[in-house]
Amino acid sequence: MLAEYAVRVEQSCGRRHSEPPHPYRNDFQRDRDRVVHARAFRRLEAKTQVFTRRYSDHFRNRLTHTIEVAQIARTVAAQLSLNIDLVEALALVHDIGHPPFGHAGEKALDAAMRAQGFFFDHNLHALRIVEDFEQRYAAFRGLNLTFEVREGIIKHSRDYDRQEFPELAEYALDQRPPLEAQLIDLADEIAYSAADLDDGYEAHLLSLDDIRAGFPMFERFYREVEKKYPQVAEKLKFNETLKRVLDRLVGDLIDNTRKRVQEAGVGTVADVRLHRERLAGHSLEVDEERRVGKEFLYENLYFSPALAEEKDNAELVVGALFAYWMENPSALPLAYQEKSRGEPLARVVCDYIAGMTDNFINEQYDTFCGTSPPAPVSIRTTDRLS
Ligand code: MG
């Protein structure tokens, strides 16, 4: 049973190219399956989330992160009686536009584009992937996804200004996205905050004491766990605590979103769209704790000197290859050379680089820019339980 304010697949605004209905999958289920079968989706496995493989093979990559977001988003959607098929499609596609090397790669690509008078945005890139770059079907380019999935790709994490992005006019930028899309951004942050604490601790970059001192919600649950399991290994106490942190964040998101929807008197999807602000969100209390935890991760993990080498490497490789292909477009694959006749060369080079995996872009650097920068030294950390 869907809530009144859930998106209904029968009321979808449909696909760009109409297709006959499938005998046993609805349109959002088909979109989810199209995303899973896309090449860009498979490449997520070889793209950095936060940690490159030099620490461990156990850490998240962009694909396992995506699966965790989908799991959390589905749970929340089910509790709020939202459209789970749409939520799953949106979660699985949400990071498909990310370039290699995590946020460092994104920053480097954006900087290279800005020097040419353009910019790079991973949501816009994701839209280009599903609208154009994926070629699976004889009748059209791209995945021919429903309007609601394309809209969610653009609107799940930020608002785009109508004047600045006239090409996105069809997505009604002055309206909020449906709750199914709104909750993706929150599920994303819950997933990566918990995962990065986990991987950062396992990599010995964050100590238990640091986390306890810097993340009050973690500290509260850790005390509870210590009382209940005084004898178990520290790592198991850590896991038990993290589980409670996740539960608290997800539970609060469910309860508070439900409450805000009720208080706003929202009845239909149209009401959600026309509401002055997004309705999915945490309570003030949890939001403050979440903010403190996020700040802790920025200061102690994302900007830590230990990850600086990877970031420098990403900037060097992305910057050098971008410059190389701008000067030597004839070294691009033929399909990209052809595209550059109809589009600015910088855009074509950017699209090519953004699609690459970490492995492939390193190989390209070897081929075109001489010897690879010295690979960051492997830091194989011991398992916290061994
Ligand atoms: Mg994400």
Side-chain angles (χ1 to χ4, degrees), residues 27 274-275:
D27 279 347
L274 294 172
H275 198 69

Side-chain angles (χ1 to χ4, degrees), residues 123-322:
N123 291 337
L124 296 175
H125 187 70
L127 196 61
R128 291 160 69 78
I129 290 174
V130 303
E131 289 263 72
D132 187 27
F133 302 161
E134 286 288 324
Q135 292 186 57
R136 303 183 52 80
Y137 306 103
F140 43 77
R141 287 183 72 94
L143 301 179
N144 197 30
L145 301 176
T146 55
F147 171 85
E148 290 74 14
V149 174
R150 284 180 281 125
E151 180 198 27
I153 288 174
I154 284 300
K155 288 160 83 172
H156 74 275
S157 62
R158 54 164 285 202
D159 298 320
Y160 290 83
D161 184 75
R162 219 160 39 124
Q163 262 87 45
E164 203 182 332
F165 296 94
E167 72 275 22
L168 299 177
E170 68 177 299
Y171 299 112
L173 297 180
D174 46 359
Q175 293 183 10
R176 258 48 60 207
L179 286 165
E180 282 83 351
Q182 291 186 27
L183 68 87
I184 298 299
D185 194 42
L186 295 142
D188 185 24
E189 191 180 312
I190 293 174
Y192 75 67
S193 301
D196 295 342
L197 273 182
D198 193 20
D199 290 346
Y201 171 69
E202 193 65 28
H204 297 253
L205 294 181
L206 300 173
S207 75
L208 181 64
D209 289 346
D210 290 344
I211 299 172
R212 291 182 63 180
F215 198 157
M217 187 191 291
F218 185 95
E219 169 65 5
R220 247 197 356 267
F221 287 123
Y222 193 84
R223 286 190 188 176
E224 194 183 297
V225 168
E226 249 188 339
K227 248 184 231 156
K228 195 170 177 195
Y229 302 108
Q231 306 299 339
V232 305
E234 182 188 289
K235 171 67 179 172
L236 294 180
K237 287 183 199 162
F238 177 93
N239 290 350
E240 285 287 336
T241 307
L242 201 57
K243 182 185 99 167
R244 286 160 172 78
V245 169
L246 257 174
D247 252 355
R248 172 82 173 124
L249 291 169
V250 171
D252 178 75
L253 175 58
I254 293 165
D255 294 343
N256 193 63
T257 301
R258 185 183 286 129
K259 191 172 141 227
R260 290 183 63 180
V261 165
Q262 275 162 4
E263 283 172 0
V266 157
T268 63
V269 187
D271 294 343
V272 173
R273 290 183 176 284
L274 294 172
H275 198 69
R276 63 186 180 281
E277 56 190 5
R278 292 177 182 237
L279 286 162
H282 291 289
S283 64
L284 284 178
E285 183 197 349
V286 167
D287 200 53
E288 176 57 17
E289 288 191 304
R290 178 203 61 83
R291 195 190 55 73
V292 173
K294 195 171 167 180
E295 237 165 60
F296 169 79
L297 280 169
Y298 269 88
E299 275 169 31
N300 296 278
L301 187 64
Y302 308 141
F303 294 139
S304 76
L307 295 184
E309 207 179 330
E310 265 105 344
K311 284 189 195 162
D312 294 347
N313 189 58
E315 268 169 43
L316 176 73
V317 169
V318 170
L321 276 172
F322 192 97

Side-chain angles (χ1 to χ4, degrees), residues 62 65 94-95 188:
R62 229 168 244 291
H65 158 72
H94 91 279
D95 267 355
D188 185 24

Side-chain angles (χ1 to χ4, degrees), residues 310-359:
E310 265 105 344
K311 284 189 195 162
D312 294 347
N313 189 58
E315 268 169 43
L316 176 73
V317 169
V318 170
L321 276 172
F322 192 97
Y324 179 82
W325 279 313
M326 286 302 291
E327 276 180 27
N328 304 281
S330 61
L332 284 166
L334 276 180
Y336 287 90
Q337 291 184 38
E338 268 161 37
K339 282 181 96 175
S340 72
R341 280 180 215 126
E343 281 182 292
L345 178 62
R347 177 58 62 198
V348 174
V349 171
C350 176
D351 285 343
Y352 186 39
I353 291 177
M356 292 179 186
T357 60
D358 293 11
N359 315 338

